Amino acid sequence: MNSLRTASRTVRIALGAAMLLAVGLLVASGVLSLRVGEPDSADPVDVGFSQDMSVHHLQGVQMASIAREKSQDRLIRQLAFDIETTQLEQTGRMKGWLSLWNEPDLAPGNPMTWMAAEHDQHTPQRTAMPGMASKQDLDRLRSLEGPEFDAFFLQLMIRHHRGGTPMMQYASERAERPQVRNLAQQMLTAQTAEIDVMTRMLAERGARPLPD
């Protein structure tokens, strides 16, 4: 299939404690990725994007890990491996920045309030970010097998990527630090391409994307 590179790659990522260790090491690399001499603070867009996109990414890592373990389709497993490793590395970078800025991993209140007028900052209850799978979605994903599992994974991941697009676009244009703008643009470019690939893969399996 021309949708994904066919070069073989060993697919082994430890779960549980090993994943926590990987996040810790990547957090350290995120701290080191900022230029020496920059102030240990950041504007609301830098902080908010790093906090909310880390949460968004970690659910993507969770779904990709499930697919890598359960799918019998080599192309689905390869896709899941790529998403899992990429988003884990990016999450480590963002958490490293938050640590350097003395900011919490999770923003208080509602997500995406750093996007100014695009989102209501006064909603009393914390709301889910666009594209996030519900507990019911994740339970269903874990319960499925074979082609039905593969199709539902692709549907959830396409919706997940689409949901994160506004955050990436906003940060790529308005974040203060070039490192944050560049990372957001890299995410946007990669995930736009992955959406195209996954949409073709889904059509080949006789299914269509979920509504956003």
Side-chain angles (χ1 to χ4, degrees):
M1 182 186 296
N2 293 327
S3 301
L4 291 172
R5 297 177 182 175
T6 58
S8 61
R9 186 183 300 177
T10 302
V11 180
R12 290 191 181 94
I13 294 183
L15 301 177
M19 181 171 284
L20 292 175
L21 176 60
V23 171
L25 293 172
L26 292 167
V27 165
S29 71
V31 171
L32 294 174
S33 71
L34 292 177
R35 290 197 299 266
V36 175
E38 290 188 340
D40 293 346
S41 62
D43 77 350
V45 174
D46 291 358
V47 173
F49 173 75
S50 298
Q51 289 170 329
D52 288 345
M53 190 54 70
S54 291
V55 173
H56 208 269
H57 263 23
L58 285 176
Q59 189 184 77
V61 169
Q62 180 184 16
M63 291 192 293
S65 177
I66 294 170
R68 185 175 52 76
E69 292 295 311
K70 289 197 64 173
S71 180
Q72 300 302 308
D73 186 311
R74 179 181 60 82
L75 292 175
I76 295 290
R77 292 198 307 272
Q78 181 66 63
L79 172 68
F81 173 81
D82 291 343
I83 291 172
E84 184 179 15
T85 53
T86 298
Q87 296 200 3
L88 188 62
E89 186 275 331
Q90 291 170 344
T91 299
R93 228 187 299 182
M94 292 184 288
K95 286 182 178 291
W97 294 341
L98 291 169
S99 176
L100 187 65
W101 300 329
N102 295 314
E103 296 287 349
D105 286 352
L106 184 65
N110 283 302
M112 300 171 69
T113 56
W114 49 276
M115 293 176 66
E118 278 81 351
H119 292 274
D120 182 7
Q121 301 189 32
H122 305 291
T123 304
Q125 294 183 338
R126 185 172 178 87
T127 58
M129 284 179 279
M132 294 289 279
S134 66
K135 181 180 182 301
Q136 291 75 22
D137 289 332
L138 295 176
D139 288 345
R140 184 185 173 203
L141 182 66
R142 293 186 182 97
S143 72
L144 296 175
E145 302 289 343
E148 192 175 5
F149 171 88
D150 294 337
F152 193 52
F153 166 71
L154 290 170
Q155 289 173 326
L156 290 181
M157 194 59 76
I158 290 169
R159 189 176 66 184
H160 195 266
H161 275 16
R162 285 177 175 170
T165 296
M167 288 194 287
M168 292 180 282
Q169 289 176 328
Y170 193 94
S172 70
E173 297 168 357
R174 306 194 190 190
E176 179 179 279
R177 291 172 180 264
Q179 294 93 340
V180 180
R181 292 196 304 272
N182 291 342
L183 180 60
Q185 184 59 57
Q186 290 168 16
M187 291 177 184
L188 183 60
T189 300
Q191 292 196 18
T192 298
E194 286 176 350
I195 288 171
D196 291 341
V197 168
M198 291 189 291
T199 301
R200 291 196 298 271
M201 293 175 72
L202 195 57
E204 290 166 359
R205 288 159 177 78
R208 305 176 71 176
L210 299 170
D212 293 333

